[in-house]
Amino acid sequence: MGFVTILILVLVALVILSILFAVFKFFIGLLPLALIVALIIWLMAKFSGSKKDNKVSDTHNPVQHPANNQKRKKARNVSVKDVEDKEDNKNG
């Protein structure tokens, strides 16, 4: 490799690094603004609506369960069988 080739590679790297520096400097400059906006949105969500709405929104399970006031039927014709532990079989 000649000196001119190395000089061109170094200059290309310098241009790429300067562009990256400008982008990250812009990002770091906007970071406090983004944090303030996120804080405002969080405060609006926290203090808006009633307490009942907040409890419903906290559950992320989309499956609808039957009402809790329904009584469950008692099990009929059920037998119980002991289960052996795998660890007991290995040690014994």
Side-chain angles (χ1 to χ4, degrees):
M1 271 206 227
F3 178 73
V4 176
T5 308
I6 294 173
L7 183 64
I8 290 173
L9 288 175
V10 169
L11 290 176
V12 169
L14 183 65
V15 169
I16 292 172
L17 285 175
S18 63
I19 291 171
L20 286 175
F21 177 74
V23 169
F24 283 119
K25 186 176 179 182
F26 180 70
F27 175 76
I28 291 171
L30 288 179
L31 191 61
L33 179 65
L35 291 174
I36 291 171
V37 169
L39 180 66
I40 290 171
I41 292 172
W42 177 73
L43 286 173
M44 286 173 52
K46 182 173 175 121
F47 292 117
S48 67
S50 65
K51 297 291 182 187
K52 186 177 180 182
D53 292 340
N54 289 340
K55 288 181 182 176
V56 172
S57 65
D58 286 342
T59 58
H60 298 292
N61 191 359
V63 178
Q64 297 295 328
H65 296 288
N68 291 334
N69 58 4
Q70 294 178 350
K71 292 187 177 180
R72 299 177 83 176
K73 292 182 180 179
K74 292 187 177 184
R76 292 183 277 169
N77 299 327
V78 176
S79 62
V80 178
K81 186 176 179 183
D82 288 339
V83 178
E84 296 179 11
D85 289 335
K86 292 180 182 179
E87 293 178 6
D88 290 341
N89 290 337
K90 290 179 184 176
N91 295 332

